[in-house]
Amino acid sequence: MVIMKKVCVVGASGKLGQYMVQHALGRGYEVVGVCREKSVGKLDRFTGQIEIIPGKTNDRHVIERAVAGCDGVLTVLVPWGMDNYSSGTAQAVLDHVPEGARLIFSCGWHITMDGQDVYPSSLKLQEKATSILGRLFRFVDIEDQVEACRRIFASDTLWTVVRGSDLEEGESQGLPVWSRHVGDPVLESNLTRRVDFALFMVAALENDGLIHEAPAIVGCQTPSALAHASGG
């Protein structure tokens, strides 16, 4: 197990990123945050507590500087624009992370590692609509997120890809539960608190059982998770 002392949060200014910074600081880690220059102000509440490196997360020079000396890297994969943002970000992290560091990436349920996920028709339609509209208006590229994860899965680094369900705000309910495949009964509720998605990401840094896994998660207090816990 890697002993965590210093971690980098790539995409620190977003809602998920800020929660990850919060959880990482709570565990006593030294934190480096990467975010676009125009978003630095969103991290003002962490002034004096973290180092901030401004720049695009798919900028290889920015990532090389940010991950230097880190024991773990938490990366928010976002399918922004049409310039290979997700795959460029993932590749930069894979190429520059120190040897032996733990890499935790966030993504959605639409990503599959082994093709054994079973998706509800509503999720398939939502993904198709998002992909078509995103490419039409050039603001989202779902396929690039798929490519990013393909590169991660092919890597021999110590990676984990955490696949989040629908997200909601609210007080923490505790560490989410996970399963290897979308479609498993425990995941049926399809809802997780965003603060707990971040909690799972940070906890995964020290969970060697998640190395080379792509856990799909759901809130631990959702009906499907509670039913699974009770043996129902």
Side-chain angles (χ1 to χ4, degrees):
M1 176 184 290
V2 176
I3 298 176
M4 288 296 138
K5 294 182 179 179
K6 182 179 181 180
V7 301
C8 178
V9 179
V10 180
S13 63
K15 291 181 179 179
L16 180 61
Q18 289 185 51
Y19 282 132
M20 287 195 291
V21 170
Q22 176 184 312
H23 289 311
L25 289 173
R27 289 178 174 240
Y29 301 152
E30 179 183 349
V31 178
V32 180
V34 179
C35 68
R36 292 177 297 172
E37 190 167 359
K38 68 179 182 180
S39 299
V40 169
K42 295 180 180 180
L43 297 171
D44 282 350
R45 67 189 178 106
F46 300 114
T47 298
Q49 300 179 71
I50 69 173
E51 178 185 359
I52 300 174
I53 297 180
K56 291 185 176 181
T57 64
N58 63 344
D59 185 319
R60 296 177 61 82
H61 298 294
V62 168
I63 295 300
E64 182 177 17
R65 176 185 168 196
V67 303
C70 288
D71 306 300
V73 182
L74 300 153
T75 303
V76 181
L77 291 177
V78 290
W80 289 335
M82 305 298 293
D83 58 352
N84 302 321
Y85 206 87
S86 284
S87 60
T89 298
Q91 194 64 59
V93 171
L94 293 171
D95 288 346
H96 293 297
V97 70
E99 184 177 357
R102 284 287 279 119
L103 308 182
I104 316 297
F105 298 88
S106 72
C107 207
W109 274 8
H110 62 284
I111 298 299
T112 184
M113 185 171 71
D114 59 12
Q116 296 186 38
D117 299 277
V118 179
Y119 299 104
S121 57
S122 58
L123 185 61
K124 290 181 179 179
L125 289 172
Q126 180 182 359
E127 180 188 353
K128 185 175 182 179
T130 300
S131 180
I132 292 173
L133 292 174
R135 294 187 68 84
L136 179 64
F137 294 102
R138 302 186 65 80
F139 69 89
V140 169
D141 187 357
I142 296 295
E143 290 305 312
D144 185 52
Q145 214 173 39
V146 174
E147 171 62 19
C149 288
R150 185 194 68 77
R151 297 184 188 189
I152 295 165
F153 296 152
S155 169
D156 59 3
T157 58
L158 303 180
W159 55 263
T160 300
V161 176
V162 182
R163 300 182 292 158
S165 62
D166 288 347
L167 300 177
E168 66 174 357
E169 295 298 333
E171 295 291 326
S172 174
Q173 296 179 325
L175 192 69
V177 298
W178 69 279
S179 186
R180 284 191 171 90
H181 299 112
V182 175
D184 290 348
V186 67
L187 302 174
E188 186 177 356
S189 294
N190 184 27
L191 193 63
T192 308
R193 296 278 170 91
R194 186 174 276 104
V195 65
D196 292 333
F197 187 176
L199 178 63
F200 192 97
M201 294 276 291
V202 174
L205 287 167
E206 298 191 33
N207 185 345
D208 287 354
L210 290 175
I211 293 174
H212 297 166
E213 292 276 9
I217 66 173
V218 73
C220 66
Q221 296 300 312
T222 58
S224 62
L226 293 173
H228 178 76
S230 66

